[in-house]
């Protein structure tokens, strides 16, 4: 780890100001950033912790019924207090291990946009709104490829708003070593249609499977997916599975998510 | 009634008090006054010529004490190899120089190029980044068969090829074996890979070198399974330090699994640098460094053929193996695919003719050496897989085919140069069948199918050669060391004992089980006995712990030394009791005169030995301290039968272990609880190899599985509750305790059971699958079903 300055502001405004410094880097729960620093793969001059900002903590329900989660809320809190959206709480309950869940934050996960992370699938699959210090971004516009998002330099995720669906479920097939998602599928049924978001599989990061969404919007049942498949050509191929295997798992896990949705 | 002490009691592990409450003394807990830290700059390319190693800018960085490169070690010996294999033509193996720090070339990712000694580790790292290294990359030699093809790039320019040796065993049997194959009624052939593994002990390697200018004495604290071996190899062959000026200490060690047997560059470096810098020098491996510098295990590519007659009797076995040595020869690497592998190819079967060919190959990878089981898992895996395949091809029950070919008469001389002293393979198989409810399997399979899962049952046997090893025999086979063991028993005046054993405990529980043996022999409480190990300044020259040898060899040395103690104590007692020595009996910690009520307590005798006022000084010396060295006359041969039941998710290829049963014959047992724990750990590692673990390189020699993000270790929820039994006991006939050793059995016996079970599951769904290479990860199992 290289030396850096450490700031822990108590307001979003102070955090934004601190992030204006040269080579400043926001720090959420640090579950990706700290190991990266330890390996000397990043050398920020200033780390700005977002953990001390009370207005970014906690969970509430908006007037329209959406579940609103503060950007600095950790996964364990979502797992235990996000019961208004059971599938989301269940997703959070299975991210990493207890240490990760008690440190990692939703804002940190979405800002990092790891191609195998769980929260991007939940946010995209729910059509969530990513609220920052400057604007509101629809999930469909937010995710722009692996480790790439619509966030501008110094922009902070202050809140994430999840419309609560009629039914939803997340199915994660574990990569045996890291236990990240080898393939993770988030299915959510709303009054105006079904959303299917897949993480872990694509070289372009989290994506929506539109054919499956159309079929499930017409008939929300596993059989509706019969005959549908994805191509493995643009999918991640590594030590743990080929693109073809991941494409196959996408269909299997989508069916299981539909069957398990509640 | 279970005993509450002594041999056969499940005494609680006394060492766990300090291990589990955070008061152990591991090497990284040792910090010396004035200590500096070393950071090794390691190669990030697999193969290349070092054109520049410029340390001038780095030397001026803050906190730097001194920077070393390969040039600083030109006058120093290379890392020695402890075993010389002679090939099938009578030629000795090719043995490349293995420098402490790379010089001229780098030959694997992770090879140390330079070492920065600085006040702090962070300063050393900062300075290492300022070292200018230019490497002219060369093609990486990765695939073993390509490596020995004509015109392949050479890992070592001064060797004739990448072939370390081409070993034939038993070469004289080759023609007879080939003839038996020509005459066979049936031949089963299987090609397979035994996957490369990283041992991953919980504690990474650590070395602290210290030097006293006043006395010219060197001390190395290191995470070793065998400190005396390190003292001998490093002192005599690398640094030229006489043993009386070199102390090696291995305090608490957090797991070894073989990879902490070997002498490593970092140990030699810290010892060397402590003198050069005139201050203690410490290195603690990061987990990333461990992946690319700890010797790896396994990595065999094998073709095995089994010949059977018309009655399904095994008539001959023939194997052809490529064994990866990596870029250099690690300390015992040449012995693993030869004498620890070829000699076990008979397994539990009376196959009369066997021929084993092994080509050991240099590649641009981390050196490969012994890992829990070392050669024996490789032998067991291929044999038990080919027997299973033969049973399927012949349409016979795999258990029945095994039973039909079991060795039943002992001693049994195999056609591969070893003689099994005892065993009862039907007994362990009977026990296994009882444990696994074989008749109920069909119903369990149906229940799985009702859930959309495929269920499979895999069974196999194993035998291993432990209690390593008769020195005169291994000397003939190329070992450059003896493999006896030592013990000194020091009795204190007030009756307590200290046993200094040449064995080393790095998790096995010797402090508990060794004390049980001595307590039983004397009839005193275990708490009166302290077991000391791991310090060359305290313990007589011993060979350490590996090859499931500690109780069989180290325990035997301790028994011999204790017998000497008892004999002398009886002399003292006979004097005190004014009786004939031949009438003295030792029972429950007291000496008595046979047929009388006269007795004297153990503590009175030990006190007399050190306060010899009333003592036969004319006949015996005062004091009560004895040393014994024990050299075994044969290996020991633990054996057993294992069974695994799996469920396979046909949609994803995911394998779940539903049950695992192990029926082992370890001969006599000192502490059943510790034995059970050893088997549990071994099975966990065997299942790890079978389902999860895979050390993988890409074609350029980059290590793909260099962290736990990609190297899958078995975790508790990957494993079922194990059903372990060791009630079948055929005691070893040639050591005083009748013990065989249990440390490696689980890792040896379990991989074939898992693979046999998965193949069985897939075939139940009509898939024409005959083999899947380990690890049986979901993607591989799914691919095999397509």
């Amino acid at each position: 780890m290289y030396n850096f300055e450490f700031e822990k502001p108590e307001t979003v405004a102070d955090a934004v100001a601190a992030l204006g410094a040269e080579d400043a880097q926001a720090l959420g729960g640090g579950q990706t950033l700290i190991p990266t620093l330890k390996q000397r793969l990043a050398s920020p001059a200033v780390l700005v912790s977002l953990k001390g900002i009370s207005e970014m903590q906690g969970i509430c329900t908006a007037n329209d019924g959406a579940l609103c989660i503060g950007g600095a809320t950790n996964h364990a809190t979502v797992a235990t207090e996000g019961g208004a959206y059971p599938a989301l709480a269940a997703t959070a309950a299975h991210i990493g291990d207890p240490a990760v869940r008690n440190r990692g934050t939703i804002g940190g996960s979405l800002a990092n946009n790891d191609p195998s992370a769980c929260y991007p699938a939940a946010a995209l699959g729910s059509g969530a709104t990513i609220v920052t210090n400057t604007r509101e971004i629809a999930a469909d516009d937010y995710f722009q490829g692996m480790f790439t998002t619509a966030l501008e330099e110094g922009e902070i995720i202050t809140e994430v708003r999840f419309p609560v669906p009629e039914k939803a479920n997340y199915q994660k097939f574990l990569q045996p070593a890291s236990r990240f998602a080898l393939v993770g599928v988030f299915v959510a049924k709303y009054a105006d249609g079904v959303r299917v978001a897949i993480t872990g599989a694509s070289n372009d990061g989290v994506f929506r499977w539109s054919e499956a969404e159309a079929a499930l919007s017409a008939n929300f049942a596993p059989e509706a997916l019969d005959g549908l498949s994805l191509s493995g050509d643009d999918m991640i191929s590594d030590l743990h599975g080929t693109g073809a295997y991941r494409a196959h798992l996408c269909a299997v896990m989508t069916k299981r998510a539909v069957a398990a949705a509640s | 009634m279970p005993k509450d002490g002594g041999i056969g009691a499940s005494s609680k592990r006394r060492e766990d008090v300090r291990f589990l409450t955070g008061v152990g003394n591991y090497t990284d807990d040792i910090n010396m006054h004035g200590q500096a830290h070393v950071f090794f700059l390691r190669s990030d390319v697999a193969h290349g010529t070092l054109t520049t190693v410029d340390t001038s800018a780095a030397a001026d960085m803050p906190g730097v004490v001194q920077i070393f490169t390969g040039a600083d070690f030109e006058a120093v010996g290379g890392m020695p190899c402890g075993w010389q294999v002679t090939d099938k033509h009578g030629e000795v193996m090719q043995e490349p120089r293995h420098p402490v720090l790379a010089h001229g070339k780098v030959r694997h990712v992770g090879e140390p190029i330079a070492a920065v000694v600085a006040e702090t580790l962070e300063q050393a790292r900062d300075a290492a980044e300022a070292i200018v290294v230019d490497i002219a990359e060369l093609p990486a030699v990765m695939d073993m068969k390509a490596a020995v093809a004509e015109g392949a790039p050479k890992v070592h320019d001064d060797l004739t090829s990448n072939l370390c040796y081409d070993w034939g065993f038993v070469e004289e049997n080759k023609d007879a074996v080939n003839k038996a194959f020509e005459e066979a009624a049936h031949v089963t052939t299987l090609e397979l890979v035994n996957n490369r593994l990283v041992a991953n002990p919980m504690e990474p390697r650590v070395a602290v070198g210290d030097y006293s200018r006043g006395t010219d004495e060197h001390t190395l604290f290191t995470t070793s399974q065998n400190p005396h071996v390190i003292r001998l190899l490093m002192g005599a062959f690398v640094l030229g330090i006489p043993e009386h000026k070199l102390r090696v200490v291995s305090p608490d060690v957090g797991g070894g699994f073989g990879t902490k047997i070997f002498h490593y560059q970092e140990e030699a470096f810290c010892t060397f640098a402590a003198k050069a810098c005139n201050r203690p020098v410490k290195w603690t491996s990061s987990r990333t460094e461990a992946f690319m510098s700890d010797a790896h295990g396994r990595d065999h590519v094998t073709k095995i053929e089994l010949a059977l007659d018309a009655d399904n009797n095994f008539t001959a076995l023939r194997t052809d193996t490529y064994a990866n040595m990596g870029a250099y020869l690690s300390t015992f690497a040449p012995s693993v695919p030869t004498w620890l592998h070829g000699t076990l190819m008979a397994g539990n079967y009376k196959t009369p003719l066997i021929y084993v060919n092994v080509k050991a190959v240099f590649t641009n990878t981390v050196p490969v050496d012994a890992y829990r089981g070392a050669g024996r898992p490789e032998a067991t895996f291929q044999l038990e897989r080919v027997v299973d395949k033969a049973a399927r091809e012949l349409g016979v029950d795999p258990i029945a085919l095994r039973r039909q070919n079991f060795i039943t008469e002992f001693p049994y001389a195999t056609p591969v140069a070893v003689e099994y002293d005892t065993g009862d393979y039907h007994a362990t198989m009977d026990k296994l069948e009882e444990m696994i409810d074989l008749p109920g399997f069909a119903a369990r399979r149906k229940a799985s199918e009702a859930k959309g899962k495929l269920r499979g049952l895999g069974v196999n046997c194993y035998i291993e050669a432990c209690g390593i090893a008769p020195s005169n025999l291994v000397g003939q086979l190329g070992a450059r060391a003896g493999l006896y063991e030592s013990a000194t028993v020091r009795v204190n005046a007030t009756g307590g004992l200290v046993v200094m054993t040449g064995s080393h405990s790095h998790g096995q529980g010797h402090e508990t089980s060794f004390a049980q043996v001595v307590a039983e022999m004397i009839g005193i409480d275990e708490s009166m006995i302290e077991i000391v190990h791991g310090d060359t300044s305290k313990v007589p020259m011993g060979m350490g712990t590996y090859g499931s040898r500690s109780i069989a060899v180290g325990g035997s040395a301790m028994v011999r030394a204790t017998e000497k103690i008892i004999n002398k104590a009886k002399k003292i007692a006979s004097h005190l009791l004014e009786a004939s020595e031949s009438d003295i009996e030792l029972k429950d910690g007291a000496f008595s005169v046979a047929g009388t009520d006269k007795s004297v307590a153990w503590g009175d005798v030990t006190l007399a030995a050190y306060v010899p006022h009333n003592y036969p000084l004319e006949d015996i010396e005062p004091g009560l301290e004895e040393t014994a060295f024990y050299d075994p006359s044969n290996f020991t041969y633990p054996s057993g039968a294992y069974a695994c039941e799996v469920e396979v998710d046909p949609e994803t290829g995911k394998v779940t272990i539903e049950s695992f049963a192990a029926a082992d014959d370890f001969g006599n047992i000192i502490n059943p609880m510790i034995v059970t724990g050893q088997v549990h750990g071994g099975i966990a590692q065997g299942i790890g190899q079978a389902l999860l673990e895979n050390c993988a390189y890409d074609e350029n020699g980059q290590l793909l599985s260099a962290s736990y993000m990609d190297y899958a270790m078995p975790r508790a929820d990957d494993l079922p509750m194990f059903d372990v039994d060791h009630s079948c006991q055929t005691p070893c006939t040639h050591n005083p305790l009748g013990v065989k050793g249990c440390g490696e059995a689980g890792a040896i016996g379990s991989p074939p059971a898992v693979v046999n079970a998965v193949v069985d599951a897939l075939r139940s769904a009509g898939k024409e699958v005959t083999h899947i290479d380990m690890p049986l990860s979901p993607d591989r199992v799914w691919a095999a079903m397509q």
Side-chain angles (χ1 to χ4, degrees), chain B residues 464-514:
Chain B
E464 53 170 329
C466 296
I468 291 173
S471 294
N472 56 358
L473 173 62
V474 296
Q476 290 167 29
L477 305 182
R480 290 164 167 164
L483 287 169
Y484 60 86
E485 199 45 86
S486 68
T488 292
V489 176
R490 177 178 298 156
V491 185
N492 293 324
T494 53
L497 290 84
V498 180
V499 178
M500 285 148 283
T501 171
S503 293
H504 187 275
S505 186
H506 27 279
Q508 293 90 340
H510 295 172
E511 290 168 43
T512 303
S513 54
F514 278 35

Coordinates of all heavy atoms in Angstrom, one line a residue, chain B residues 464-514:
Chain B
E464 N -0.8 -47.5 0.9 CA 0.3 -46.5 0.8 C 1.5 -47.1 1.6 O 1.4 -48.0 2.4 CB -0.1 -45.2 1.4 CG -0.6 -45.3 2.8 CD -0.8 -43.9 3.5 OE1 0.0 -43.0 3.2 OE2 -1.7 -43.8 4.3
A465 N 2.7 -46.6 1.2 CA 3.9 -47.0 1.9 C 4.3 -45.8 2.8 O 4.6 -44.7 2.3 CB 5.0 -47.3 0.9
C466 N 4.2 -46.0 4.1 CA 4.5 -44.9 5.0 C 5.7 -45.3 5.9 O 6.4 -46.3 5.6 CB 3.3 -44.7 5.9 SG 1.9 -44.1 4.9
G467 N 5.8 -44.6 7.0 CA 6.9 -44.9 7.9 C 8.3 -44.8 7.2 O 9.2 -45.6 7.3
I468 N 8.4 -43.7 6.4 CA 9.5 -43.5 5.5 C 10.8 -43.2 6.4 O 10.7 -42.3 7.2 CB 9.2 -42.4 4.6 CG1 8.2 -42.8 3.6 CG2 10.5 -41.9 3.9 CD1 7.7 -41.7 2.6
A469 N 11.9 -44.0 6.3 CA 12.0 -45.1 5.4 C 13.3 -45.8 5.8 O 14.2 -45.2 6.4 CB 12.1 -44.7 4.0
P470 N 13.5 -47.1 5.4 CA 14.8 -47.8 5.7 C 15.9 -47.1 5.0 O 15.9 -47.0 3.8 CB 14.5 -49.2 5.1 CG 13.0 -49.4 5.0 CD 12.5 -48.0 4.8
S471 N 16.9 -46.6 5.8 CA 17.9 -45.8 5.2 C 18.8 -46.6 4.1 O 19.1 -46.0 3.1 CB 18.9 -45.3 6.3 OG 18.1 -44.4 7.1
N472 N 19.1 -47.8 4.4 CA 19.9 -48.5 3.5 C 19.2 -48.7 2.2 O 19.8 -48.7 1.1 CB 20.4 -49.9 4.1 CG 19.3 -50.7 4.6 OD1 18.1 -50.4 4.5 ND2 19.6 -51.9 5.1
L473 N 17.9 -49.0 2.2 CA 17.1 -49.2 1.0 C 17.1 -47.9 0.2 O 17.4 -47.8 -1.0 CB 15.7 -49.7 1.3 CG 14.8 -49.8 0.1 CD1 15.3 -50.8 -0.9 CD2 13.4 -50.2 0.6
V474 N 16.7 -46.8 0.9 CA 16.5 -45.5 0.1 C 17.8 -45.0 -0.4 O 17.9 -44.3 -1.4 CB 15.7 -44.4 0.9 CG1 14.3 -44.9 1.2 CG2 16.5 -44.0 2.2
G475 N 18.9 -45.4 0.3 CA 20.2 -45.0 -0.2 C 20.5 -45.6 -1.5 O 21.0 -45.0 -2.4
Q476 N 20.1 -46.9 -1.6 CA 20.3 -47.6 -2.9 C 19.5 -47.0 -4.0 O 19.8 -47.1 -5.2 CB 19.9 -49.1 -2.8 CG 20.9 -49.9 -1.9 CD 20.3 -51.3 -1.6 OE1 19.5 -51.8 -2.3 NE2 20.7 -51.8 -0.4
L477 N 18.4 -46.4 -3.6 CA 17.4 -45.8 -4.6 C 17.7 -44.4 -4.9 O 17.0 -43.7 -5.7 CB 16.0 -45.9 -4.0 CG 15.5 -47.3 -3.6 CD1 14.1 -47.3 -3.2 CD2 15.7 -48.3 -4.8
G478 N 18.8 -43.8 -4.3 CA 19.2 -42.5 -4.7 C 19.0 -41.4 -3.7 O 19.4 -40.2 -3.9
A479 N 18.5 -41.7 -2.5 CA 18.3 -40.7 -1.5 C 19.7 -40.3 -1.0 O 20.6 -41.1 -0.8 CB 17.5 -41.3 -0.3
R480 N 19.8 -39.0 -0.8 CA 21.1 -38.4 -0.3 C 21.0 -38.1 1.2 O 21.7 -37.3 1.7 CB 21.5 -37.2 -1.1 CG 21.9 -37.5 -2.6 CD 21.8 -36.2 -3.4 NE 22.5 -36.4 -4.7 CZ 22.3 -35.7 -5.8 NH1 21.6 -34.6 -5.7 NH2 22.9 -35.9 -6.9
A481 N 20.1 -38.8 1.8 CA 19.9 -38.6 3.3 C 19.5 -40.0 3.9 O 19.0 -40.9 3.2 CB 18.8 -37.6 3.5
G482 N 19.7 -40.1 5.2 CA 19.2 -41.2 5.9 C 17.8 -40.9 6.3 O 17.4 -39.7 6.4
L483 N 17.0 -41.9 6.6 CA 15.6 -41.6 7.0 C 15.2 -42.3 8.3 O 14.0 -42.7 8.5 CB 14.6 -41.9 5.8 CG 14.7 -40.9 4.7 CD1 14.0 -41.4 3.4 CD2 14.2 -39.5 5.1
Y484 N 16.1 -42.4 9.2 CA 15.9 -42.8 10.6 C 15.2 -41.7 11.3 O 14.9 -40.6 10.8 CB 17.2 -43.2 11.2 CG 18.1 -41.9 11.3 CD1 17.9 -41.0 12.3 CD2 18.9 -41.6 10.2 CE1 18.6 -39.8 12.4 CE2 19.6 -40.4 10.3 CZ 19.4 -39.5 11.3 OH 20.1 -38.3 11.3
E485 N 14.9 -42.0 12.6 CA 14.5 -40.9 13.5 C 15.1 -41.0 14.8 O 15.7 -42.1 15.2 CB 13.0 -40.9 13.6 CG 12.4 -39.5 14.1 CD 13.0 -38.4 13.4 OE1 12.6 -38.0 12.3 OE2 14.0 -37.8 13.9
S486 N 15.1 -39.9 15.6 CA 15.8 -39.9 16.9 C 14.9 -39.4 18.0 O 13.8 -38.8 17.7 CB 16.9 -38.8 16.8 OG 16.4 -37.5 16.7
A487 N 15.3 -39.8 19.2 CA 14.6 -39.2 20.4 C 15.5 -39.3 21.6 O 16.3 -40.2 21.7 CB 13.4 -40.1 20.7
T488 N 15.5 -38.2 22.3 CA 16.2 -38.2 23.6 C 15.1 -38.1 24.7 O 14.2 -37.2 24.6 CB 17.1 -37.0 23.8 OG1 18.2 -37.2 22.9 CG2 17.7 -36.9 25.2
V489 N 15.2 -39.0 25.7 CA 14.2 -38.9 26.8 C 15.0 -38.4 28.0 O 16.0 -39.1 28.4 CB 13.5 -40.2 27.1 CG1 12.6 -40.1 28.3 CG2 12.7 -40.7 25.9
R490 N 14.7 -37.3 28.5 CA 15.4 -36.7 29.7 C 14.4 -36.8 30.9 O 13.3 -36.1 30.8 CB 15.8 -35.3 29.4 CG 16.5 -34.6 30.6 CD 16.9 -33.2 30.3 NE 17.9 -33.2 29.2 CZ 18.2 -32.2 28.4 NH1 17.5 -31.1 28.4 NH2 19.1 -32.4 27.4
V491 N 14.7 -37.5 31.9 CA 13.9 -37.6 33.1 C 14.4 -36.6 34.1 O 15.6 -36.6 34.4 CB 13.9 -39.1 33.7 CG1 12.9 -39.1 34.9 CG2 13.5 -40.1 32.6
N492 N 13.6 -35.8 34.7 CA 14.0 -34.9 35.7 C 14.0 -35.5 37.1 O 13.3 -36.6 37.2 CB 13.1 -33.6 35.7 CG 13.3 -32.9 34.4 OD1 14.4 -32.8 33.8 ND2 12.2 -32.3 33.9
A493 N 14.6 -34.9 38.0 CA 14.8 -35.5 39.3 C 13.4 -35.8 40.0 O 13.3 -36.8 40.7 CB 15.6 -34.6 40.2
T494 N 12.5 -34.9 39.7 CA 11.2 -35.1 40.4 C 10.2 -36.0 39.6 O 9.0 -36.1 39.9 CB 10.5 -33.7 40.7 OG1 10.5 -33.0 39.4 CG2 11.3 -32.9 41.7
G495 N 10.7 -36.6 38.5 CA 9.9 -37.6 37.9 C 9.3 -37.2 36.5 O 8.8 -38.1 35.8
G496 N 9.3 -35.9 36.3 CA 8.7 -35.5 35.0 C 9.7 -35.8 33.9 O 10.9 -36.0 34.1
L497 N 9.2 -35.9 32.6 CA 10.1 -36.3 31.5 C 10.0 -35.2 30.4 O 8.9 -34.6 30.2 CB 9.6 -37.6 30.9 CG 9.8 -38.9 31.6 CD1 8.7 -39.1 32.6 CD2 10.0 -40.0 30.7
V498 N 11.1 -35.0 29.7 CA 11.1 -34.2 28.5 C 11.5 -35.2 27.4 O 12.6 -35.8 27.5 CB 12.0 -33.0 28.6 CG1 11.9 -32.2 27.3 CG2 11.6 -32.1 29.8
V499 N 10.7 -35.3 26.4 CA 11.1 -36.1 25.2 C 11.4 -35.1 24.1 O 10.6 -34.3 23.7 CB 9.9 -37.0 24.7 CG1 10.4 -37.8 23.5 CG2 9.5 -37.9 25.9
M500 N 12.7 -35.2 23.6 CA 13.1 -34.4 22.5 C 13.1 -35.3 21.2 O 13.9 -36.2 21.1 CB 14.5 -33.8 22.8 CG 14.4 -32.7 23.8 SD 15.8 -32.5 24.8 CE 15.5 -33.8 26.0
T501 N 12.1 -35.0 20.4 CA 12.0 -35.9 19.2 C 12.4 -35.2 17.9 O 12.2 -34.0 17.8 CB 10.5 -36.3 19.1 OG1 10.3 -37.0 17.8 CG2 9.5 -35.2 19.1
G502 N 13.0 -36.0 17.1 CA 13.4 -35.5 15.8 C 12.3 -35.3 14.8 O 12.4 -34.7 13.8
S503 N 11.1 -35.9 15.2 CA 9.9 -35.6 14.4 C 9.5 -34.1 14.6 O 9.9 -33.5 15.6 CB 8.7 -36.5 14.9 OG 9.0 -37.8 14.6
H504 N 8.7 -33.6 13.8 CA 8.2 -32.3 13.9 C 6.7 -32.2 13.8 O 6.1 -32.8 12.9 CB 8.8 -31.4 12.9 CG 8.5 -29.9 13.1 ND1 7.4 -29.3 12.6 CD2 9.2 -28.9 13.7 CE1 7.3 -28.1 13.0 NE2 8.4 -27.8 13.7
S505 N 6.1 -31.5 14.7 CA 4.6 -31.4 14.6 C 4.2 -30.1 14.1 O 4.6 -29.0 14.5 CB 4.0 -31.6 16.1 OG 2.6 -31.6 16.0
H506 N 3.4 -30.1 13.0 CA 2.9 -28.9 12.5 C 1.4 -29.0 12.3 O 0.8 -28.7 11.3 CB 3.6 -28.5 11.1 CG 4.1 -29.7 10.4 ND1 5.3 -30.3 10.7 CD2 3.6 -30.4 9.4 CE1 5.5 -31.3 9.9 NE2 4.5 -31.4 9.1
G507 N 0.8 -29.5 13.4 CA -0.6 -29.6 13.4 C -1.1 -31.0 13.8 O -2.3 -31.3 14.1
Q508 N -0.2 -32.0 13.7 CA -0.5 -33.4 13.9 C -0.9 -33.8 15.3 O -1.4 -34.9 15.5 CB 0.6 -34.3 13.3 CG 0.8 -34.2 11.8 CD 1.8 -33.1 11.5 OE1 2.1 -32.2 12.2 NE2 2.3 -33.2 10.3
G509 N -0.5 -33.0 16.3 CA -0.8 -33.4 17.7 C 0.2 -34.3 18.4 O -0.1 -35.0 19.3
H510 N 1.5 -34.2 17.9 CA 2.5 -35.1 18.5 C 2.6 -34.8 20.0 O 2.9 -35.7 20.8 CB 3.8 -34.9 17.9 CG 3.9 -35.2 16.5 ND1 5.0 -35.0 15.6 CD2 3.0 -35.9 15.7 CE1 4.7 -35.4 14.4 NE2 3.5 -36.0 14.4
E511 N 2.5 -33.6 20.4 CA 2.7 -33.3 21.8 C 1.8 -34.1 22.7 O 2.1 -34.4 23.9 CB 2.6 -31.8 22.1 CG 3.7 -31.0 21.4 CD 3.4 -29.5 21.4 OE1 3.0 -28.9 22.4 OE2 3.7 -28.9 20.4
T512 N 0.6 -34.4 22.2 CA -0.4 -35.2 22.9 C -0.1 -36.7 22.7 O 0.0 -37.4 23.7 CB -1.8 -34.8 22.4 OG1 -2.0 -33.4 22.6 CG2 -2.9 -35.6 23.2
S513 N -0.1 -37.1 21.5 CA 0.0 -38.6 21.2 C 1.3 -39.2 21.6 O 1.3 -40.3 22.1 CB -0.4 -38.9 19.8 OG 0.5 -38.2 18.9
F514 N 2.4 -38.4 21.4 CA 3.7 -39.0 21.8 C 3.7 -39.1 23.4 O 4.3 -40.1 23.9 CB 4.8 -38.1 21.3 CG 5.3 -38.3 19.9 CD1 4.3 -38.7 18.9 CD2 6.6 -38.2 19.5 CE1 4.7 -38.9 17.6 CE2 7.0 -38.5 18.2 CZ 6.0 -38.8 17.2

